[in-house]
Amino acid sequence: MSAPKRVGVVGYPVKHSRSPMIFEHWFGRYGIDARYDRIEVKPEDGEAFFATLADSDLAGVNVTMPHKAVAARHAKLDDAGRRLGAINTLWRDGAAMAGTSSDGSGFLKSLDAQAPAWRGRGAALVLGAGGAAVSVADALAAEGVAVRIANRTEAKAKELADLVDGEVVAWDRLPDALAETALLVNATSLGMTGSGPLDIDLSPLPAQATVADLVYYPLETPLLRDARARGFAAVDGLGMLLYQATVGFERWFGMEPAVDDELRRVLLATF
Ligand SMILES: NC(=O)c1ccc[n+]([C@@H]2O[C@H](COP(=O)([O-])OP(=O)(O)OC[C@H]3O[C@@H](n4cnc5c(N)ncnc54)[C@H](OP(=O)(O)O)[C@@H]3O)[C@@H](O)[C@H]2O)c1
């Protein structure tokens, strides 16, 4: 009898990761004999861990803070991984490891699932310039969407705008920019339980606009509630969290797992 396939999430700290719940749900659902471990690797041990990962018993890993850039230095990268220089999903490719960043593709899959009419509507405005904003802005730009960035710290908005060939919007010019926005994405931590509110007036948005929030706790943020009340298509952050995990699952187990209401309920029960 062969040993169960072993995969996991590497980070520090890693004990709060919800990834094991997602994968264990899929293992049960598809009858897969596998283990998904939380693998705690201290920052100073990251280099050695990823340099020798191909020699380990792991079929692949997800990666979270603070190891995404180190992981990228020890894997064959796809286009997204190369552009971002940081990855969160690794799998075996012959004798070596290959990797990608699945946050951006997870975000696009979530948009396609929750607001399929978003494509081809026009420019995106991304609020924020942290790690999540970079992945989302990059994925949108790679799809040919014109991207604008607004961030409290404008120097970071400029850096991200340069990366995606986009434009910077000054935070105090948001009302003007909203009038020309087809897709508004909150990639700041504002609106998350414990953070401050995202104070934004959605009334200038065109009627066909889509509003996406990467924050998933609470699931229905004040931004999404306001967007729905105004009749805009609204996309929550849980979809991105779940869809980004499908990329590793496909690489490791050769099939695309379902992201459905049952899985959403499993995850929501952990909040
Ligand atoms: N749905 C998913 O799968 C998913 C994945 C990743 C992240 N997220 C969520 O996305 C959010 C951002 O995550 P991250 O990893 O990008 O975090 P991060 O790198 O720490 O970036 C935080 C961003 O929020 C902005 N911000 C924080 N406090 C602010 C304030 N008081 N006023 C204005 N802007 C403020 C920061 O602006 P400055 O640059 O000015 O500090 C920065 O742009 C979090 O809520 C996270 O939970 C969701």
Short mmCIF file of all heavy atoms in Angstrom, two decimals, residues 93-128:
data_model
loop_
_atom_site.label_atom_id
_atom_site.label_comp_id
_atom_site.label_asym_id
_atom_site.label_seq_id
_atom_site.Cartn_x
_atom_site.Cartn_y
_atom_site.Cartn_z
N ASP A 93 8.11 19.27 -10.88
CA ASP A 93 8.26 19.34 -12.34
C ASP A 93 9.56 18.59 -12.64
O ASP A 93 10.63 19.17 -12.54
CB ASP A 93 8.32 20.80 -12.79
CG ASP A 93 8.44 20.91 -14.31
OD1 ASP A 93 8.37 19.87 -14.99
OD2 ASP A 93 8.63 22.03 -14.80
N GLY A 94 9.46 17.30 -12.94
CA GLY A 94 10.66 16.47 -13.07
C GLY A 94 11.37 16.41 -11.74
O GLY A 94 10.74 16.20 -10.70
N ALA A 95 12.68 16.69 -11.76
CA ALA A 95 13.46 16.59 -10.52
C ALA A 95 13.43 17.90 -9.73
O ALA A 95 14.01 17.98 -8.65
CB ALA A 95 14.91 16.24 -10.87
N ALA A 96 12.78 18.93 -10.27
CA ALA A 96 12.78 20.24 -9.61
C ALA A 96 11.36 20.63 -9.18
O ALA A 96 10.42 19.84 -9.32
CB ALA A 96 13.35 21.28 -10.58
N MET A 97 11.25 21.82 -8.65
CA MET A 97 9.92 22.34 -8.29
C MET A 97 9.56 23.48 -9.25
O MET A 97 10.43 24.24 -9.69
CB MET A 97 9.90 22.90 -6.85
CG MET A 97 10.31 21.96 -5.75
SD MET A 97 9.37 20.40 -5.65
CE MET A 97 7.73 20.96 -5.19
N ALA A 98 8.27 23.59 -9.57
CA ALA A 98 7.77 24.71 -10.36
C ALA A 98 6.78 25.47 -9.50
O ALA A 98 6.25 24.92 -8.52
CB ALA A 98 7.10 24.21 -11.63
N GLY A 99 6.52 26.74 -9.84
CA GLY A 99 5.62 27.50 -8.98
C GLY A 99 4.92 28.65 -9.67
O GLY A 99 5.33 29.12 -10.72
N THR A 100 3.84 29.08 -9.02
CA THR A 100 3.08 30.24 -9.49
C THR A 100 2.50 30.98 -8.30
O THR A 100 2.48 30.48 -7.18
CB THR A 100 1.93 29.80 -10.43
OG1 THR A 100 1.34 30.97 -11.01
CG2 THR A 100 0.84 29.04 -9.68
N SER A 101 1.99 32.17 -8.60
CA SER A 101 1.20 32.89 -7.61
C SER A 101 -0.26 32.74 -8.02
O SER A 101 -0.64 33.16 -9.10
CB SER A 101 1.59 34.37 -7.63
OG SER A 101 0.69 35.09 -6.84
N SER A 102 -1.06 32.11 -7.18
CA SER A 102 -2.44 31.79 -7.59
C SER A 102 -3.46 32.82 -7.11
O SER A 102 -4.65 32.68 -7.40
CB SER A 102 -2.83 30.39 -7.07
OG SER A 102 -2.94 30.40 -5.67
N ASP A 103 -3.02 33.84 -6.37
CA ASP A 103 -3.99 34.82 -5.86
C ASP A 103 -4.69 35.57 -6.99
O ASP A 103 -5.91 35.77 -6.97
CB ASP A 103 -3.31 35.84 -4.94
CG ASP A 103 -3.08 35.29 -3.55
OD1 ASP A 103 -3.79 34.35 -3.16
OD2 ASP A 103 -2.20 35.81 -2.85
N GLY A 104 -3.91 35.98 -7.99
CA GLY A 104 -4.49 36.75 -9.10
C GLY A 104 -5.44 35.89 -9.92
O GLY A 104 -6.57 36.32 -10.24
N SER A 105 -5.02 34.67 -10.26
CA SER A 105 -5.92 33.82 -11.05
C SER A 105 -7.13 33.42 -10.21
O SER A 105 -8.25 33.29 -10.74
CB SER A 105 -5.18 32.60 -11.61
OG SER A 105 -4.57 31.87 -10.58
N GLY A 106 -6.93 33.26 -8.90
CA GLY A 106 -8.07 32.95 -8.01
C GLY A 106 -9.06 34.10 -8.00
O GLY A 106 -10.28 33.89 -8.01
N PHE A 107 -8.54 35.32 -7.99
CA PHE A 107 -9.42 36.49 -8.02
C PHE A 107 -10.23 36.52 -9.31
O PHE A 107 -11.44 36.75 -9.30
CB PHE A 107 -8.58 37.77 -7.87
CG PHE A 107 -9.38 39.02 -8.05
CD1 PHE A 107 -10.30 39.43 -7.09
CD2 PHE A 107 -9.22 39.80 -9.19
CE1 PHE A 107 -11.06 40.58 -7.26
CE2 PHE A 107 -9.97 40.95 -9.37
CZ PHE A 107 -10.90 41.34 -8.41
N LEU A 108 -9.57 36.26 -10.45
CA LEU A 108 -10.29 36.29 -11.74
C LEU A 108 -11.37 35.21 -11.78
O LEU A 108 -12.48 35.45 -12.26
CB LEU A 108 -9.31 36.10 -12.90
CG LEU A 108 -8.29 37.22 -13.13
CD1 LEU A 108 -7.37 36.86 -14.29
CD2 LEU A 108 -8.96 38.56 -13.39
N LYS A 109 -11.04 34.00 -11.28
CA LYS A 109 -12.03 32.92 -11.28
C LYS A 109 -13.23 33.30 -10.41
O LYS A 109 -14.37 32.98 -10.73
CB LYS A 109 -11.42 31.63 -10.73
CG LYS A 109 -10.53 30.87 -11.70
CD LYS A 109 -10.10 29.57 -11.00
CE LYS A 109 -9.31 28.65 -11.91
NZ LYS A 109 -9.01 27.36 -11.27
N SER A 110 -12.95 33.96 -9.30
CA SER A 110 -14.02 34.37 -8.40
C SER A 110 -14.92 35.42 -9.07
O SER A 110 -16.15 35.38 -8.96
CB SER A 110 -13.40 34.92 -7.12
OG SER A 110 -14.38 35.42 -6.27
N LEU A 111 -14.29 36.36 -9.78
CA LEU A 111 -15.07 37.37 -10.52
C LEU A 111 -15.95 36.67 -11.57
O LEU A 111 -17.14 36.98 -11.70
CB LEU A 111 -14.14 38.31 -11.27
CG LEU A 111 -13.58 39.54 -10.59
CD1 LEU A 111 -12.76 40.34 -11.60
CD2 LEU A 111 -14.68 40.41 -10.01
N ASP A 112 -15.34 35.74 -12.32
CA ASP A 112 -16.09 35.04 -13.37
C ASP A 112 -17.27 34.26 -12.77
O ASP A 112 -18.33 34.16 -13.39
CB ASP A 112 -15.18 34.07 -14.13
CG ASP A 112 -14.21 34.81 -15.06
OD1 ASP A 112 -14.51 35.96 -15.43
OD2 ASP A 112 -13.15 34.24 -15.40
N ALA A 113 -17.08 33.72 -11.57
CA ALA A 113 -18.14 32.92 -10.94
C ALA A 113 -19.24 33.80 -10.36
O ALA A 113 -20.43 33.50 -10.48
CB ALA A 113 -17.55 32.03 -9.84
N GLN A 114 -18.84 34.90 -9.71
CA GLN A 114 -19.84 35.70 -8.97
C GLN A 114 -20.41 36.87 -9.77
O GLN A 114 -21.47 37.38 -9.43
CB GLN A 114 -19.23 36.24 -7.67
CG GLN A 114 -18.88 35.14 -6.64
CD GLN A 114 -18.49 35.74 -5.29
OE1 GLN A 114 -19.18 36.61 -4.76
NE2 GLN A 114 -17.39 35.29 -4.73
N ALA A 115 -19.68 37.31 -10.80
CA ALA A 115 -20.16 38.46 -11.61
C ALA A 115 -19.70 38.26 -13.05
O ALA A 115 -18.88 39.04 -13.55
CB ALA A 115 -19.62 39.77 -11.04
N PRO A 116 -20.21 37.22 -13.74
CA PRO A 116 -19.67 36.85 -15.05
C PRO A 116 -19.71 37.97 -16.09
O PRO A 116 -18.93 37.94 -17.04
CB PRO A 116 -20.55 35.67 -15.49
CG PRO A 116 -21.62 35.53 -14.48
CD PRO A 116 -21.28 36.34 -13.28
N ALA A 117 -20.55 38.97 -15.90
CA ALA A 117 -20.64 40.04 -16.92
C ALA A 117 -19.56 41.10 -16.77
O ALA A 117 -19.54 42.08 -17.50
CB ALA A 117 -22.02 40.70 -16.83
N TRP A 118 -18.60 40.91 -15.84
CA TRP A 118 -17.61 41.98 -15.58
C TRP A 118 -16.68 42.20 -16.76
O TRP A 118 -16.20 43.31 -16.97
CB TRP A 118 -16.79 41.66 -14.33
CG TRP A 118 -15.71 40.64 -14.56
CD1 TRP A 118 -15.84 39.28 -14.50
CD2 TRP A 118 -14.33 40.89 -14.93
NE1 TRP A 118 -14.64 38.66 -14.80
CE2 TRP A 118 -13.70 39.64 -15.06
CE3 TRP A 118 -13.58 42.04 -15.14
CZ2 TRP A 118 -12.35 39.50 -15.41
CZ3 TRP A 118 -12.23 41.91 -15.49
CH2 TRP A 118 -11.63 40.65 -15.63
N ARG A 119 -16.43 41.15 -17.55
CA ARG A 119 -15.40 41.26 -18.61
C ARG A 119 -15.82 42.22 -19.72
O ARG A 119 -16.98 42.28 -20.09
CB ARG A 119 -15.11 39.89 -19.21
CG ARG A 119 -14.25 39.03 -18.30
CD ARG A 119 -13.98 37.67 -18.89
NE ARG A 119 -13.25 36.85 -17.95
CZ ARG A 119 -11.92 36.81 -17.86
NH1 ARG A 119 -11.17 37.50 -18.69
NH2 ARG A 119 -11.33 36.05 -16.95
N GLY A 120 -14.83 42.96 -20.21
CA GLY A 120 -15.04 43.83 -21.36
C GLY A 120 -15.80 45.10 -21.06
O GLY A 120 -16.19 45.84 -21.95
N ARG A 121 -16.00 45.39 -19.79
CA ARG A 121 -16.82 46.56 -19.42
C ARG A 121 -16.01 47.84 -19.30
O ARG A 121 -16.56 48.92 -19.33
CB ARG A 121 -17.51 46.29 -18.08
CG ARG A 121 -18.65 45.28 -18.18
CD ARG A 121 -19.97 46.02 -18.24
NE ARG A 121 -21.08 45.19 -18.66
CZ ARG A 121 -21.89 44.54 -17.84
NH1 ARG A 121 -21.70 44.60 -16.55
NH2 ARG A 121 -22.89 43.84 -18.31
N GLY A 122 -14.66 47.72 -19.08
CA GLY A 122 -13.86 48.94 -18.97
C GLY A 122 -12.82 48.85 -17.87
O GLY A 122 -12.43 47.75 -17.44
N ALA A 123 -12.39 50.02 -17.39
CA ALA A 123 -11.22 50.10 -16.50
C ALA A 123 -11.52 49.63 -15.08
O ALA A 123 -12.65 49.69 -14.60
CB ALA A 123 -10.73 51.54 -16.46
N ALA A 124 -10.45 49.16 -14.43
CA ALA A 124 -10.54 48.75 -13.02
C ALA A 124 -9.86 49.78 -12.14
O ALA A 124 -8.85 50.37 -12.53
CB ALA A 124 -9.88 47.39 -12.84
N LEU A 125 -10.42 49.99 -10.97
CA LEU A 125 -9.78 50.83 -9.96
C LEU A 125 -9.51 49.95 -8.74
O LEU A 125 -10.45 49.41 -8.14
CB LEU A 125 -10.72 52.00 -9.58
CG LEU A 125 -10.26 52.90 -8.44
CD1 LEU A 125 -8.92 53.57 -8.75
CD2 LEU A 125 -11.31 53.99 -8.17
N VAL A 126 -8.22 49.79 -8.43
CA VAL A 126 -7.83 48.96 -7.29
C VAL A 126 -7.46 49.88 -6.14
O VAL A 126 -6.58 50.74 -6.28
CB VAL A 126 -6.63 48.04 -7.66
CG1 VAL A 126 -6.15 47.26 -6.45
CG2 VAL A 126 -7.01 47.10 -8.81
N LEU A 127 -8.11 49.69 -5.00
CA LEU A 127 -7.79 50.44 -3.79
C LEU A 127 -6.80 49.62 -2.99
O LEU A 127 -7.11 48.48 -2.61
CB LEU A 127 -9.06 50.70 -2.96
CG LEU A 127 -10.24 51.32 -3.71
CD1 LEU A 127 -11.42 51.51 -2.74
CD2 LEU A 127 -9.84 52.66 -4.32
N GLY A 128 -5.62 50.18 -2.74
CA GLY A 128 -4.59 49.45 -2.00
C GLY A 128 -3.40 49.16 -2.89
O GLY A 128 -3.51 49.16 -4.12
#
